Amino acid sequence: MYAIIGGSGLAKLSVLQEPRRQVMRTPYGEPSGALTFGKLGGRDVVFLARHGYGHTIAPHEINYRANIWALRELKVEGVIGVATVGGIRDDLTPGTLVVPDQIIDYTYSRKSTFFEGADAPVTHIDFTQPYAARLRQALLAAARACGEPVVDGATYACTQGPRLETAAEIQRIARDGGHIVGMTGMPEAALAREAGLDYAALAVVVNHAAGRGDSRERIALDALQTVMEQTVARAVRIIEALLRGLP
Ligand code: HPA
């Protein structure tokens, strides 16, 4: 069984067949909401809405540990995290889908590890390649198979939020080598690695990052809805193709 964590624009996976919901508890508290089990692309999947089903949990308030722990308990074979982002690199304009290959973490004060507390030995996971190569390649192959253009590789910068960035912050992130910017990719990816789960992200560019393109003066968040819905729908098609194509 594979897991899909849906972000903004994907609070419900309405294409799921025979859905049933289950509330789970973990040693870290409750996940963002009930987990929804169903079929997609002919395979069993479990879906979790990262911000809750009513989109009420802000990026810094998400219980990333409970979310990942629940998926670990379910022994899922892999996790696809779908997340909306702002585009920094010139070619990553609204409506673009990206399979990132690197991360820079600018978040702070988030509970970002399972390895803490008196009885947990100090553990350092390798995170050189933060995303599972196997799942990244599967996403890229699935996109090719269904004719959906996706960008292979970008550095995902994760900011703390919930406010958007200043133009100068985006300039700095660009200098650092960041290509897209979101608020939820971390610690999600790191916790998945700690939990031994294969994790890959599918990023949906919904706006030019602050100070860039048509966001030079401000980010018109209210204008993003249509491009978000259309692009998220394409992301779901790719995931469906991925599941269908699995051995
Ligand atoms: N910045 C941070 N997170 C985001 C953005 C952005 O511009 N767009 C969507 N999520």
Side-chain angles (χ1 to χ4, degrees):
M1 180 169 67
Y2 276 77
I4 302 161
I5 303 180
S8 301
L10 191 61
K12 267 206 316 273
L13 197 55
S14 42
V15 289
L16 270 195
Q17 283 152 6
E18 305 162 38
R20 67 193 163 76
R21 295 175 85 176
Q22 184 186 329
V23 173
M24 285 184 71
R25 290 196 173 73
T26 79
Y28 302 95
E30 284 193 29
S32 297
L35 287 97
T36 309
F37 297 81
K39 280 195 188 296
L40 185 66
R43 315 270 306 199
D44 287 330
V45 294
V46 56
F47 175 81
L48 177 61
R50 190 185 284 117
H51 298 281
Y53 289 92
H55 205 280
T56 50
I57 310 171
H60 64 292
E61 294 173 326
I62 291 166
N63 190 339
Y64 295 95
R65 293 198 299 187
N67 288 353
I68 295 296
W69 195 266
L71 301 180
R72 179 181 181 272
E73 295 266 283
L74 293 168
K75 300 193 166 48
V76 299
E77 295 161 75
V79 183
I80 310 281
V82 181
T84 58
V85 295
I88 301 175
R89 209 170 74 193
D90 285 344
D91 60 318
L92 305 179
T93 52
T96 306
L97 288 167
V98 186
V99 181
D101 63 347
Q102 276 298 331
I103 295 175
I104 302 176
D105 186 7
Y106 298 93
T107 65
Y108 45 86
S109 308
R110 298 185 181 186
K111 296 240 182 266
S112 56
T113 180
F114 293 116
F115 301 125
E116 63 179 17
D119 47 350
V122 176
T123 306
H124 303 287
I125 52 155
D126 174 65
F127 206 43
T128 312
Q129 302 297 335
Y131 299 110
R134 172 186 77 85
L135 266 187
R136 286 193 71 255
Q137 293 308 324
L139 276 171
L140 295 167
R144 272 194 302 275
C146 60
E148 292 289 355
V150 291
V151 173
D152 174 5
T155 297
Y156 177 107
C158 193
T159 58
Q160 173 70 1
R163 66 164 177 85
L164 292 157
E165 299 74 32
T166 66
E169 284 169 338
I170 292 298
Q171 290 255 42
R172 172 171 80 127
I173 292 171
R175 279 198 303 276
D176 285 354
H179 303 135
I180 49 180
V181 58
M183 300 174 188
T184 57
M186 285 293 286
E188 192 170 275
L191 289 165
R193 178 65 54 84
E194 284 192 356
L197 297 175
D198 275 1
Y199 177 96
L202 187 52
V204 179
V205 183
V206 293
N207 60 283
H208 284 107
R212 313 238 147 189
D214 59 7
S215 302
R216 195 156 302 281
E217 288 304 320
R218 63 184 298 276
I219 296 180
L221 279 175
D222 34 338
L224 304 181
Q225 203 61 30
T226 314
V227 64
M228 179 160 82
E229 277 166 21
Q230 287 169 354
T231 317
V232 164
R234 289 173 45 218
V236 172
R237 280 203 288 281
I238 292 171
I239 295 170
E240 188 171 1
L242 180 153
L243 294 164
R244 206 175 287 290
L246 285 172

